[in-house]
Amino acid sequence: MWRRPFPWLVTVLALLFALWPYLTNDVQLRESLILAAVFIVLASNLNLMIGYAGYVNFGNIVFFGLGGYVCLYLVNDWHWHVVLATLIAGFAVSAVALLFGLGILRLRGAFFALATIGVNAAIQQIVVNFEPWGGATGIYLSLDAYGALGGPMQALWITYLLIVAVMLASLLLSYAIKNSKFGLGLLAIGQNEDAAAVLGVPTPLYKAFAYSASAFLPAAAGGLYFFKSGIIEPSGAFSLSTSIEAIVMVMLGGHGTIIGPALGAFLYEELRGLLLTAESFSHFQLVIAGALLLIIVLFVPGGLMGFVYRHWPRARKWLE
């Protein structure tokens, strides 16, 4: 994998992403880039289902929310270190996703999309009524939870660097899967699932493994993000609008590519930040997101990377 330029390129970009606000001690830039990194993780892993397997998942945010709850519960009630709690959250949510995937991935098209919305709503209601996780009020971390990282201020920077590391892992995972036998099987499923099955691709297992793989790093990112925030509650952890925005990011950058969802996530997050701080547009971000998705589907179906590949074919070597 490391013989090609793309992994080195994204690694260098991730290092710049991590060091820029740290070296300049720019807290505002750090908070902006944290959100961008989280959305890059969500979009890159959602692309495993949309761009590779051809399954539109409206419930991708459920992995993010569950990861946050598992991580904060382990840190708050069991006093685990946040790194270990994050890893356990990732593995636990990935295992749950595998079980769900074996069931709901028997559905296709709109039926699968509706099922993922139902899974998100069901998990949210379970969490709301689950008292060990705080029920409807959620989980609040005390300042003592940040002692292992040197206190709240130091913990913010360490958490930021960990989120950037998860972002880099998402891009490298997407690259590794796409250039593997497993990735070729997913791409075959995305093109024609019945033909892929005839050719010997174990479609149920491949789809379930892709669904599980797309859960691990969003769960880890959710754990770190809510640890940084110090609070998690159901409506924020399982927001359907965030899932819809993640789909817009994937389509904006170019589904089926590796750098495309990351680029779409970064640009959309910057646009989102401008809209939220503009008094005239602060309540219309989802309207604009819907209009943007419609424009992409009608006029630029390949997204930004599709446009780049058409006009500069040689860029595919560096921007996969």
Side-chain angles (χ1 to χ4, degrees), residues 64-101:
F64 183 73
L66 275 179
Y69 266 101
V70 173
C71 179
L72 263 66
Y73 177 70
L74 293 175
V75 169
N76 191 58
D77 289 39
W78 293 86
H79 309 293
W80 286 23
H81 193 281
V82 63
V83 174
L84 179 59
T86 297
L87 290 174
I88 295 300
F91 283 115
V93 174
S94 187
V96 171
L98 180 61
L99 295 177
F100 273 105

PDB file of all heavy atoms in Angstrom, residues 64-101:
ATOM      1  N   PHE A  64     -21.924   6.643  15.567  1.00  0.00           N
ATOM      2  CA  PHE A  64     -21.303   7.789  16.235  1.00  0.00           C
ATOM      3  C   PHE A  64     -21.885   7.960  17.642  1.00  0.00           C
ATOM      4  O   PHE A  64     -21.152   8.120  18.619  1.00  0.00           O
ATOM      5  CB  PHE A  64     -21.546   9.030  15.385  1.00  0.00           C
ATOM      6  CG  PHE A  64     -20.912  10.293  15.896  1.00  0.00           C
ATOM      7  CD1 PHE A  64     -19.545  10.486  15.803  1.00  0.00           C
ATOM      8  CD2 PHE A  64     -21.686  11.309  16.440  1.00  0.00           C
ATOM      9  CE1 PHE A  64     -18.951  11.656  16.250  1.00  0.00           C
ATOM     10  CE2 PHE A  64     -21.108  12.480  16.889  1.00  0.00           C
ATOM     11  CZ  PHE A  64     -19.740  12.658  16.802  1.00  0.00           C
ATOM     12  N   GLY A  65     -23.208   7.922  17.743  1.00  0.00           N
ATOM     13  CA  GLY A  65     -23.861   8.117  19.036  1.00  0.00           C
ATOM     14  C   GLY A  65     -23.603   6.983  20.005  1.00  0.00           C
ATOM     15  O   GLY A  65     -23.299   7.212  21.187  1.00  0.00           O
ATOM     16  N   LEU A  66     -23.707   5.742  19.532  1.00  0.00           N
ATOM     17  CA  LEU A  66     -23.449   4.597  20.414  1.00  0.00           C
ATOM     18  C   LEU A  66     -22.004   4.587  20.906  1.00  0.00           C
ATOM     19  O   LEU A  66     -21.736   4.281  22.074  1.00  0.00           O
ATOM     20  CB  LEU A  66     -23.755   3.296  19.676  1.00  0.00           C
ATOM     21  CG  LEU A  66     -25.203   2.807  19.686  1.00  0.00           C
ATOM     22  CD1 LEU A  66     -25.325   1.525  18.884  1.00  0.00           C
ATOM     23  CD2 LEU A  66     -25.707   2.607  21.108  1.00  0.00           C
ATOM     24  N   GLY A  67     -21.070   4.922  20.011  1.00  0.00           N
ATOM     25  CA  GLY A  67     -19.676   4.994  20.422  1.00  0.00           C
ATOM     26  C   GLY A  67     -19.467   6.024  21.514  1.00  0.00           C
ATOM     27  O   GLY A  67     -18.714   5.795  22.474  1.00  0.00           O
ATOM     28  N   GLY A  68     -20.143   7.161  21.384  1.00  0.00           N
ATOM     29  CA  GLY A  68     -20.047   8.187  22.407  1.00  0.00           C
ATOM     30  C   GLY A  68     -20.582   7.723  23.747  1.00  0.00           C
ATOM     31  O   GLY A  68     -19.965   7.956  24.803  1.00  0.00           O
ATOM     32  N   TYR A  69     -21.712   7.045  23.734  1.00  0.00           N
ATOM     33  CA  TYR A  69     -22.309   6.568  24.984  1.00  0.00           C
ATOM     34  C   TYR A  69     -21.450   5.502  25.654  1.00  0.00           C
ATOM     35  O   TYR A  69     -21.234   5.545  26.880  1.00  0.00           O
ATOM     36  CB  TYR A  69     -23.716   6.023  24.726  1.00  0.00           C
ATOM     37  CG  TYR A  69     -24.804   7.044  24.955  1.00  0.00           C
ATOM     38  CD1 TYR A  69     -25.402   7.704  23.899  1.00  0.00           C
ATOM     39  CD2 TYR A  69     -25.219   7.361  26.251  1.00  0.00           C
ATOM     40  CE1 TYR A  69     -26.395   8.653  24.117  1.00  0.00           C
ATOM     41  CE2 TYR A  69     -26.198   8.302  26.479  1.00  0.00           C
ATOM     42  CZ  TYR A  69     -26.790   8.948  25.414  1.00  0.00           C
ATOM     43  OH  TYR A  69     -27.765   9.887  25.636  1.00  0.00           O
ATOM     44  N   VAL A  70     -20.966   4.534  24.884  1.00  0.00           N
ATOM     45  CA  VAL A  70     -20.142   3.475  25.470  1.00  0.00           C
ATOM     46  C   VAL A  70     -18.868   4.067  26.063  1.00  0.00           C
ATOM     47  O   VAL A  70     -18.466   3.730  27.194  1.00  0.00           O
ATOM     48  CB  VAL A  70     -19.802   2.409  24.410  1.00  0.00           C
ATOM     49  CG1 VAL A  70     -18.795   1.404  24.967  1.00  0.00           C
ATOM     50  CG2 VAL A  70     -21.068   1.681  23.963  1.00  0.00           C
ATOM     51  N   CYS A  71     -18.228   4.969  25.328  1.00  0.00           N
ATOM     52  CA  CYS A  71     -16.977   5.571  25.797  1.00  0.00           C
ATOM     53  C   CYS A  71     -17.193   6.376  27.075  1.00  0.00           C
ATOM     54  O   CYS A  71     -16.468   6.199  28.065  1.00  0.00           O
ATOM     55  CB  CYS A  71     -16.385   6.452  24.699  1.00  0.00           C
ATOM     56  SG  CYS A  71     -14.846   7.268  25.159  1.00  0.00           S
ATOM     57  N   LEU A  72     -18.174   7.261  27.079  1.00  0.00           N
ATOM     58  CA  LEU A  72     -18.399   8.105  28.258  1.00  0.00           C
ATOM     59  C   LEU A  72     -18.853   7.283  29.461  1.00  0.00           C
ATOM     60  O   LEU A  72     -18.505   7.607  30.602  1.00  0.00           O
ATOM     61  CB  LEU A  72     -19.418   9.201  27.945  1.00  0.00           C
ATOM     62  CG  LEU A  72     -18.790  10.554  27.575  1.00  0.00           C
ATOM     63  CD1 LEU A  72     -18.026  10.442  26.264  1.00  0.00           C
ATOM     64  CD2 LEU A  72     -19.854  11.637  27.469  1.00  0.00           C
ATOM     65  N   TYR A  73     -19.618   6.222  29.226  1.00  0.00           N
ATOM     66  CA  TYR A  73     -20.038   5.354  30.334  1.00  0.00           C
ATOM     67  C   TYR A  73     -18.826   4.682  30.969  1.00  0.00           C
ATOM     68  O   TYR A  73     -18.707   4.632  32.207  1.00  0.00           O
ATOM     69  CB  TYR A  73     -21.018   4.312  29.815  1.00  0.00           C
ATOM     70  CG  TYR A  73     -21.451   3.316  30.857  1.00  0.00           C
ATOM     71  CD1 TYR A  73     -22.279   3.684  31.923  1.00  0.00           C
ATOM     72  CD2 TYR A  73     -21.015   1.990  30.797  1.00  0.00           C
ATOM     73  CE1 TYR A  73     -22.666   2.757  32.886  1.00  0.00           C
ATOM     74  CE2 TYR A  73     -21.400   1.064  31.751  1.00  0.00           C
ATOM     75  CZ  TYR A  73     -22.229   1.448  32.789  1.00  0.00           C
ATOM     76  OH  TYR A  73     -22.613   0.535  33.740  1.00  0.00           O
ATOM     77  N   LEU A  74     -17.907   4.176  30.155  1.00  0.00           N
ATOM     78  CA  LEU A  74     -16.714   3.518  30.684  1.00  0.00           C
ATOM     79  C   LEU A  74     -15.803   4.509  31.405  1.00  0.00           C
ATOM     80  O   LEU A  74     -15.210   4.190  32.443  1.00  0.00           O
ATOM     81  CB  LEU A  74     -15.948   2.829  29.552  1.00  0.00           C
ATOM     82  CG  LEU A  74     -16.653   1.643  28.887  1.00  0.00           C
ATOM     83  CD1 LEU A  74     -15.838   1.135  27.700  1.00  0.00           C
ATOM     84  CD2 LEU A  74     -16.894   0.518  29.886  1.00  0.00           C
ATOM     85  N   VAL A  75     -15.683   5.708  30.858  1.00  0.00           N
ATOM     86  CA  VAL A  75     -14.829   6.726  31.482  1.00  0.00           C
ATOM     87  C   VAL A  75     -15.450   7.237  32.776  1.00  0.00           C
ATOM     88  O   VAL A  75     -14.770   7.387  33.794  1.00  0.00           O
ATOM     89  CB  VAL A  75     -14.587   7.894  30.507  1.00  0.00           C
ATOM     90  CG1 VAL A  75     -13.923   9.071  31.223  1.00  0.00           C
ATOM     91  CG2 VAL A  75     -13.726   7.448  29.338  1.00  0.00           C
ATOM     92  N   ASN A  76     -16.764   7.491  32.761  1.00  0.00           N
ATOM     93  CA  ASN A  76     -17.433   8.127  33.892  1.00  0.00           C
ATOM     94  C   ASN A  76     -17.724   7.153  35.031  1.00  0.00           C
ATOM     95  O   ASN A  76     -17.478   7.468  36.201  1.00  0.00           O
ATOM     96  CB  ASN A  76     -18.737   8.769  33.416  1.00  0.00           C
ATOM     97  CG  ASN A  76     -19.356   9.675  34.452  1.00  0.00           C
ATOM     98  OD1 ASN A  76     -18.733  10.633  34.909  1.00  0.00           O
ATOM     99  ND2 ASN A  76     -20.580   9.377  34.857  1.00  0.00           N
ATOM    100  N   ASP A  77     -18.245   5.958  34.693  1.00  0.00           N
ATOM    101  CA  ASP A  77     -18.680   5.034  35.732  1.00  0.00           C
ATOM    102  C   ASP A  77     -17.611   4.007  36.107  1.00  0.00           C
ATOM    103  O   ASP A  77     -17.573   3.545  37.250  1.00  0.00           O
ATOM    104  CB  ASP A  77     -19.935   4.292  35.272  1.00  0.00           C
ATOM    105  CG  ASP A  77     -21.158   5.196  35.244  1.00  0.00           C
ATOM    106  OD1 ASP A  77     -21.023   6.367  34.858  1.00  0.00           O
ATOM    107  OD2 ASP A  77     -22.258   4.721  35.600  1.00  0.00           O
ATOM    108  N   TRP A  78     -16.761   3.643  35.148  1.00  0.00           N
ATOM    109  CA  TRP A  78     -15.752   2.622  35.408  1.00  0.00           C
ATOM    110  C   TRP A  78     -14.336   3.199  35.468  1.00  0.00           C
ATOM    111  O   TRP A  78     -13.381   2.462  35.725  1.00  0.00           O
ATOM    112  CB  TRP A  78     -15.819   1.536  34.322  1.00  0.00           C
ATOM    113  CG  TRP A  78     -17.092   0.747  34.398  1.00  0.00           C
ATOM    114  CD1 TRP A  78     -18.291   1.064  33.829  1.00  0.00           C
ATOM    115  CD2 TRP A  78     -17.301  -0.475  35.098  1.00  0.00           C
ATOM    116  NE1 TRP A  78     -19.245   0.123  34.123  1.00  0.00           N
ATOM    117  CE2 TRP A  78     -18.661  -0.846  34.899  1.00  0.00           C
ATOM    118  CE3 TRP A  78     -16.482  -1.310  35.858  1.00  0.00           C
ATOM    119  CZ2 TRP A  78     -19.213  -1.997  35.443  1.00  0.00           C
ATOM    120  CZ3 TRP A  78     -17.029  -2.461  36.394  1.00  0.00           C
ATOM    121  CH2 TRP A  78     -18.370  -2.797  36.187  1.00  0.00           C
ATOM    122  N   HIS A  79     -14.211   4.499  35.199  1.00  0.00           N
ATOM    123  CA  HIS A  79     -12.934   5.217  35.322  1.00  0.00           C
ATOM    124  C   HIS A  79     -11.837   4.638  34.439  1.00  0.00           C
ATOM    125  O   HIS A  79     -10.671   4.557  34.830  1.00  0.00           O
ATOM    126  CB  HIS A  79     -12.471   5.237  36.789  1.00  0.00           C
ATOM    127  CG  HIS A  79     -13.524   5.710  37.747  1.00  0.00           C
ATOM    128  ND1 HIS A  79     -13.978   7.014  37.743  1.00  0.00           N
ATOM    129  CD2 HIS A  79     -14.232   5.043  38.703  1.00  0.00           C
ATOM    130  CE1 HIS A  79     -14.917   7.145  38.674  1.00  0.00           C
ATOM    131  NE2 HIS A  79     -15.084   5.967  39.269  1.00  0.00           N
ATOM    132  N   TRP A  80     -12.230   4.241  33.232  1.00  0.00           N
ATOM    133  CA  TRP A  80     -11.259   3.756  32.256  1.00  0.00           C
ATOM    134  C   TRP A  80     -10.549   4.929  31.597  1.00  0.00           C
ATOM    135  O   TRP A  80     -11.094   6.042  31.503  1.00  0.00           O
ATOM    136  CB  TRP A  80     -11.957   2.927  31.179  1.00  0.00           C
ATOM    137  CG  TRP A  80     -12.387   1.565  31.635  1.00  0.00           C
ATOM    138  CD1 TRP A  80     -12.631   1.162  32.918  1.00  0.00           C
ATOM    139  CD2 TRP A  80     -12.632   0.428  30.807  1.00  0.00           C
ATOM    140  NE1 TRP A  80     -13.018  -0.145  32.942  1.00  0.00           N
ATOM    141  CE2 TRP A  80     -13.028  -0.634  31.663  1.00  0.00           C
ATOM    142  CE3 TRP A  80     -12.569   0.199  29.442  1.00  0.00           C
ATOM    143  CZ2 TRP A  80     -13.352  -1.889  31.175  1.00  0.00           C
ATOM    144  CZ3 TRP A  80     -12.891  -1.050  28.956  1.00  0.00           C
ATOM    145  CH2 TRP A  80     -13.273  -2.094  29.817  1.00  0.00           C
ATOM    146  N   HIS A  81      -9.356   4.679  31.082  1.00  0.00           N
ATOM    147  CA  HIS A  81      -8.651   5.692  30.291  1.00  0.00           C
ATOM    148  C   HIS A  81      -9.407   5.887  28.980  1.00  0.00           C
ATOM    149  O   HIS A  81      -9.933   4.935  28.398  1.00  0.00           O
ATOM    150  CB  HIS A  81      -7.225   5.246  30.015  1.00  0.00           C
ATOM    151  CG  HIS A  81      -6.347   6.337  29.492  1.00  0.00           C
ATOM    152  ND1 HIS A  81      -6.368   6.750  28.163  1.00  0.00           N
ATOM    153  CD2 HIS A  81      -5.423   7.123  30.108  1.00  0.00           C
ATOM    154  CE1 HIS A  81      -5.503   7.720  27.999  1.00  0.00           C
ATOM    155  NE2 HIS A  81      -4.910   7.971  29.155  1.00  0.00           N
ATOM    156  N   VAL A  82      -9.445   7.113  28.493  1.00  0.00           N
ATOM    157  CA  VAL A  82     -10.266   7.429  27.323  1.00  0.00           C
ATOM    158  C   VAL A  82      -9.818   6.665  26.079  1.00  0.00           C
ATOM    159  O   VAL A  82     -10.647   6.279  25.243  1.00  0.00           O
ATOM    160  CB  VAL A  82     -10.266   8.947  27.055  1.00  0.00           C
ATOM    161  CG1 VAL A  82      -8.871   9.462  26.708  1.00  0.00           C
ATOM    162  CG2 VAL A  82     -11.243   9.308  25.947  1.00  0.00           C
ATOM    163  N   VAL A  83      -8.518   6.424  25.927  1.00  0.00           N
ATOM    164  CA  VAL A  83      -8.043   5.699  24.740  1.00  0.00           C
ATOM    165  C   VAL A  83      -8.562   4.267  24.749  1.00  0.00           C
ATOM    166  O   VAL A  83      -9.071   3.764  23.741  1.00  0.00           O
ATOM    167  CB  VAL A  83      -6.505   5.720  24.669  1.00  0.00           C
ATOM    168  CG1 VAL A  83      -6.014   4.851  23.521  1.00  0.00           C
ATOM    169  CG2 VAL A  83      -6.008   7.151  24.502  1.00  0.00           C
ATOM    170  N   LEU A  84      -8.469   3.595  25.894  1.00  0.00           N
ATOM    171  CA  LEU A  84      -8.973   2.225  25.998  1.00  0.00           C
ATOM    172  C   LEU A  84     -10.488   2.203  25.833  1.00  0.00           C
ATOM    173  O   LEU A  84     -11.030   1.325  25.143  1.00  0.00           O
ATOM    174  CB  LEU A  84      -8.577   1.638  27.354  1.00  0.00           C
ATOM    175  CG  LEU A  84      -9.052   0.202  27.629  1.00  0.00           C
ATOM    176  CD1 LEU A  84      -8.504  -0.748  26.565  1.00  0.00           C
ATOM    177  CD2 LEU A  84      -8.635  -0.241  29.025  1.00  0.00           C
ATOM    178  N   ALA A  85     -11.181   3.162  26.444  1.00  0.00           N
ATOM    179  CA  ALA A  85     -12.637   3.232  26.321  1.00  0.00           C
ATOM    180  C   ALA A  85     -13.058   3.462  24.874  1.00  0.00           C
ATOM    181  O   ALA A  85     -14.059   2.906  24.407  1.00  0.00           O
ATOM    182  CB  ALA A  85     -13.180   4.347  27.211  1.00  0.00           C
ATOM    183  N   THR A  86     -12.286   4.274  24.150  1.00  0.00           N
ATOM    184  CA  THR A  86     -12.585   4.539  22.740  1.00  0.00           C
ATOM    185  C   THR A  86     -12.441   3.274  21.903  1.00  0.00           C
ATOM    186  O   THR A  86     -13.281   2.977  21.046  1.00  0.00           O
ATOM    187  CB  THR A  86     -11.655   5.634  22.204  1.00  0.00           C
ATOM    188  OG1 THR A  86     -11.889   6.856  22.914  1.00  0.00           O
ATOM    189  CG2 THR A  86     -11.878   5.874  20.719  1.00  0.00           C
ATOM    190  N   LEU A  87     -11.378   2.507  22.142  1.00  0.00           N
ATOM    191  CA  LEU A  87     -11.164   1.272  21.394  1.00  0.00           C
ATOM    192  C   LEU A  87     -12.269   0.256  21.689  1.00  0.00           C
ATOM    193  O   LEU A  87     -12.793  -0.394  20.768  1.00  0.00           O
ATOM    194  CB  LEU A  87      -9.800   0.675  21.736  1.00  0.00           C
ATOM    195  CG  LEU A  87      -8.582   1.451  21.228  1.00  0.00           C
ATOM    196  CD1 LEU A  87      -7.296   0.836  21.766  1.00  0.00           C
ATOM    197  CD2 LEU A  87      -8.563   1.471  19.700  1.00  0.00           C
ATOM    198  N   ILE A  88     -12.626   0.108  22.941  1.00  0.00           N
ATOM    199  CA  ILE A  88     -13.696  -0.823  23.308  1.00  0.00           C
ATOM    200  C   ILE A  88     -15.012  -0.390  22.682  1.00  0.00           C
ATOM    201  O   ILE A  88     -15.794  -1.214  22.185  1.00  0.00           O
ATOM    202  CB  ILE A  88     -13.830  -0.915  24.837  1.00  0.00           C
ATOM    203  CG1 ILE A  88     -12.559  -1.524  25.443  1.00  0.00           C
ATOM    204  CG2 ILE A  88     -15.051  -1.737  25.227  1.00  0.00           C
ATOM    205  CD1 ILE A  88     -12.250  -2.922  24.948  1.00  0.00           C
ATOM    206  N   ALA A  89     -15.279   0.925  22.674  1.00  0.00           N
ATOM    207  CA  ALA A  89     -16.499   1.436  22.045  1.00  0.00           C
ATOM    208  C   ALA A  89     -16.523   1.094  20.565  1.00  0.00           C
ATOM    209  O   ALA A  89     -17.558   0.674  20.024  1.00  0.00           O
ATOM    210  CB  ALA A  89     -16.592   2.948  22.251  1.00  0.00           C
ATOM    211  N   GLY A  90     -15.379   1.252  19.904  1.00  0.00           N
ATOM    212  CA  GLY A  90     -15.307   0.932  18.483  1.00  0.00           C
ATOM    213  C   GLY A  90     -15.590  -0.529  18.213  1.00  0.00           C
ATOM    214  O   GLY A  90     -16.394  -0.871  17.331  1.00  0.00           O
ATOM    215  N   PHE A  91     -14.957  -1.417  18.974  1.00  0.00           N
ATOM    216  CA  PHE A  91     -15.164  -2.853  18.767  1.00  0.00           C
ATOM    217  C   PHE A  91     -16.597  -3.267  19.108  1.00  0.00           C
ATOM    218  O   PHE A  91     -17.201  -4.087  18.404  1.00  0.00           O
ATOM    219  CB  PHE A  91     -14.164  -3.653  19.608  1.00  0.00           C
ATOM    220  CG  PHE A  91     -12.780  -3.680  19.034  1.00  0.00           C
ATOM    221  CD1 PHE A  91     -11.722  -3.085  19.696  1.00  0.00           C
ATOM    222  CD2 PHE A  91     -12.532  -4.312  17.818  1.00  0.00           C
ATOM    223  CE1 PHE A  91     -10.444  -3.111  19.170  1.00  0.00           C
ATOM    224  CE2 PHE A  91     -11.245  -4.348  17.286  1.00  0.00           C
ATOM    225  CZ  PHE A  91     -10.211  -3.744  17.963  1.00  0.00           C
ATOM    226  N   ALA A  92     -17.138  -2.721  20.189  1.00  0.00           N
ATOM    227  CA  ALA A  92     -18.493  -3.090  20.603  1.00  0.00           C
ATOM    228  C   ALA A  92     -19.527  -2.663  19.571  1.00  0.00           C
ATOM    229  O   ALA A  92     -20.407  -3.441  19.186  1.00  0.00           O
ATOM    230  CB  ALA A  92     -18.803  -2.455  21.965  1.00  0.00           C
ATOM    231  N   VAL A  93     -19.426  -1.434  19.104  1.00  0.00           N
ATOM    232  CA  VAL A  93     -20.385  -0.925  18.119  1.00  0.00           C
ATOM    233  C   VAL A  93     -20.219  -1.659  16.790  1.00  0.00           C
ATOM    234  O   VAL A  93     -21.211  -1.952  16.102  1.00  0.00           O
ATOM    235  CB  VAL A  93     -20.216   0.593  17.940  1.00  0.00           C
ATOM    236  CG1 VAL A  93     -21.102   1.115  16.817  1.00  0.00           C
ATOM    237  CG2 VAL A  93     -20.555   1.307  19.246  1.00  0.00           C
ATOM    238  N   SER A  94     -18.981  -1.974  16.425  1.00  0.00           N
ATOM    239  CA  SER A  94     -18.741  -2.722  15.191  1.00  0.00           C
ATOM    240  C   SER A  94     -19.374  -4.106  15.261  1.00  0.00           C
ATOM    241  O   SER A  94     -19.946  -4.595  14.267  1.00  0.00           O
ATOM    242  CB  SER A  94     -17.233  -2.831  14.948  1.00  0.00           C
ATOM    243  OG  SER A  94     -16.960  -3.399  13.685  1.00  0.00           O
ATOM    244  N   ALA A  95     -19.297  -4.761  16.424  1.00  0.00           N
ATOM    245  CA  ALA A  95     -19.924  -6.075  16.591  1.00  0.00           C
ATOM    246  C   ALA A  95     -21.439  -5.975  16.497  1.00  0.00           C
ATOM    247  O   ALA A  95     -22.101  -6.812  15.860  1.00  0.00           O
ATOM    248  CB  ALA A  95     -19.516  -6.675  17.937  1.00  0.00           C
ATOM    249  N   VAL A  96     -22.016  -4.951  17.116  1.00  0.00           N
ATOM    250  CA  VAL A  96     -23.468  -4.741  17.029  1.00  0.00           C
ATOM    251  C   VAL A  96     -23.882  -4.473  15.585  1.00  0.00           C
ATOM    252  O   VAL A  96     -24.899  -4.994  15.098  1.00  0.00           O
ATOM    253  CB  VAL A  96     -23.893  -3.570  17.943  1.00  0.00           C
ATOM    254  CG1 VAL A  96     -25.361  -3.190  17.695  1.00  0.00           C
ATOM    255  CG2 VAL A  96     -23.693  -3.936  19.407  1.00  0.00           C
ATOM    256  N   ALA A  97     -23.074  -3.678  14.874  1.00  0.00           N
ATOM    257  CA  ALA A  97     -23.382  -3.378  13.474  1.00  0.00           C
ATOM    258  C   ALA A  97     -23.349  -4.635  12.617  1.00  0.00           C
ATOM    259  O   ALA A  97     -24.150  -4.789  11.687  1.00  0.00           O
ATOM    260  CB  ALA A  97     -22.397  -2.339  12.934  1.00  0.00           C
ATOM    261  N   LEU A  98     -22.418  -5.536  12.923  1.00  0.00           N
ATOM    262  CA  LEU A  98     -22.346  -6.787  12.172  1.00  0.00           C
ATOM    263  C   LEU A  98     -23.622  -7.595  12.339  1.00  0.00           C
ATOM    264  O   LEU A  98     -24.173  -8.136  11.360  1.00  0.00           O
ATOM    265  CB  LEU A  98     -21.134  -7.598  12.632  1.00  0.00           C
ATOM    266  CG  LEU A  98     -20.918  -8.951  11.946  1.00  0.00           C
ATOM    267  CD1 LEU A  98     -20.693  -8.771  10.449  1.00  0.00           C
ATOM    268  CD2 LEU A  98     -19.747  -9.691  12.574  1.00  0.00           C
ATOM    269  N   LEU A  99     -24.121  -7.660  13.562  1.00  0.00           N
ATOM    270  CA  LEU A  99     -25.366  -8.401  13.822  1.00  0.00           C
ATOM    271  C   LEU A  99     -26.550  -7.757  13.117  1.00  0.00           C
ATOM    272  O   LEU A  99     -27.376  -8.436  12.494  1.00  0.00           O
ATOM    273  CB  LEU A  99     -25.616  -8.488  15.327  1.00  0.00           C
ATOM    274  CG  LEU A  99     -24.589  -9.296  16.140  1.00  0.00           C
ATOM    275  CD1 LEU A  99     -24.913  -9.234  17.620  1.00  0.00           C
ATOM    276  CD2 LEU A  99     -24.566 -10.744  15.660  1.00  0.00           C
ATOM    277  N   PHE A 100     -26.657  -6.435  13.217  1.00  0.00           N
ATOM    278  CA  PHE A 100     -27.741  -5.730  12.529  1.00  0.00           C
ATOM    279  C   PHE A 100     -27.603  -5.877  11.017  1.00  0.00           C
ATOM    280  O   PHE A 100     -28.588  -6.043  10.301  1.00  0.00           O
ATOM    281  CB  PHE A 100     -27.731  -4.244  12.905  1.00  0.00           C
ATOM    282  CG  PHE A 100     -28.508  -3.930  14.145  1.00  0.00           C
ATOM    283  CD1 PHE A 100     -27.859  -3.639  15.337  1.00  0.00           C
ATOM    284  CD2 PHE A 100     -29.900  -3.916  14.119  1.00  0.00           C
ATOM    285  CE1 PHE A 100     -28.578  -3.357  16.488  1.00  0.00           C
ATOM    286  CE2 PHE A 100     -30.625  -3.626  15.263  1.00  0.00           C
ATOM    287  CZ  PHE A 100     -29.964  -3.350  16.462  1.00  0.00           C
ATOM    288  N   GLY A 101     -26.368  -5.820  10.532  1.00  0.00           N
ATOM    289  CA  GLY A 101     -26.140  -5.892   9.096  1.00  0.00           C
ATOM    290  C   GLY A 101     -26.579  -7.203   8.494  1.00  0.00           C
ATOM    291  O   GLY A 101     -27.123  -7.235   7.382  1.00  0.00           O
TER     292      GLY A 101
END
